[in-house]
Amino acid sequence: MSSFRRRALIAAVSVVGVAAVASVVAFVLRAQPAVQEFMVRYSGVAEPAAGTPVGIPVWLNVTHVLNVLFLLLIIRTALSIRSKKRPPAFWTPGYRVLGQAPRRVGINVWLHNTVDILWVINGAVYLVLLFATGQWMRVVPTTWDVFPNAVSAALQYLTFTWPVENPWIAYNSLQVLAYFGVTFLLAPLAIVTGIRLSQAWPLDAPRLNRWVPEKPLRRIHNWVLFLFMAFIVVHVGLVLFTGAVHNLNVMFAASDSMSWLGTTLFVVSLAVLAAVWFALTPSVQKRLAALSGKVR
Ligand code: HEM
Ligand code: HEM
């Protein structure tokens, strides 16, 4: 077993173990009258700020599904870079990257960075629209009440009662914190640490490189991968197990209904995803990479 697989297995077993212990503790806590009073006071969903828009617009569905597509390709190439296997080809940019002399990289690094650019553009569009439309108020905590409500929601998840919320109106506080965390902390961390590893970084600046050393930043960049994968497993698991038909309508069909439209669009998006995934064979990657540099 590779060291990555072994570490992933140990991490998965530890998470299940910690969750089991946390669940027992949560059941004991929920039996206490004081905790029951606390949970009546804090239902798990903080009151939305005045003026928070109701409903999810189509642009949010589109940027969300593109984000899924790009992130899966980023993760695929990240795992391929991590595997340290010799890539099927190498790419040397045909231009200076932010003034740096062109450096040769594996074709998997080329694909990783090409998709990174698309991912960052999509993320920027999402953020601009989020702030232009007031939708930010659903994913940025606007009151300290999110913290006790997040504790309440956690106690509910751990005791296998799903917090009562309607994602069309407001997310529960644990969702707010998780969505805020991936959008405003994890994604920027990926970008900042990724730039240090990229061809845009000057390698001939010894003082700068002493202040911003490669090794710890590469380690943080790897942690980003682990945290994104953990988020995705929990997020997709909860979406599917807490009312999949309604959740998928909200995020894939901009609809609050119980129709099958969202589920259908979700399945279609999975098919598109698989088509792109399998279309990106090494020979297609080489042809695409040759458009912007030398491939050997
Ligand atoms: C691949 C990585 C993914 C990331 C990083 C991600 C991230 C997010 C974020 C940040 C939000 C809140 C957006 C907002 O309201 O502004 C969200 C909501 C949502 N996502 Fe994802 N998502 C991912 C994959 C998926 C997938 C594959 C599904 C479908 C199975 C899905 C279903 C949903 C749903 C239904 C919501 C609405 C809120 C809810 O009911 O929890 N997501 N996601
Ligand atoms: C704009 C965002 C990003 C940039 C600029 C970026 C940049 C890079 C670069 C340049 C490398 C190649 C390093 C080398 O040549 O050795 C790399 C590797 C890697 N990237 Fe990213 N990346 C970004 C986003 C992400 C994201 C979102 C993830 C995780 C989901 C990720 C996970 C990884 C991993 C695990 C590696 C392998 C690191 C190693 O162990 O050597 N990257 N990234």
Side-chain angles (χ1 to χ4, degrees), residues 71 74-75 78 81-82 109 112-113 116 119-120 190-191 194-195 197-198 218 221-222 224-225 228:
L71 255 182
I74 290 174
I75 290 174
I81 300 167
R82 275 189 53 98
V109 173
H112 187 75
N113 291 344
D116 287 337
W119 182 64
V120 168
I191 297 170
I195 287 172
L197 306 178
S198 79
R218 189 181 288 276
H221 201 69
N222 271 280
V224 169
L225 172 65
F228 260 116

Side-chain angles (χ1 to χ4, degrees), residues 64 67-68 126 171 175 179 231-232 235-236 247 251 266:
H64 181 265
N67 178 59
V68 175
Y126 165 71
Y171 298 136
Q175 284 174 304
Y179 299 155
F231 168 81
I232 292 168
H235 176 58
V236 176
N247 288 339
M251 219 37 168
F266 171 60

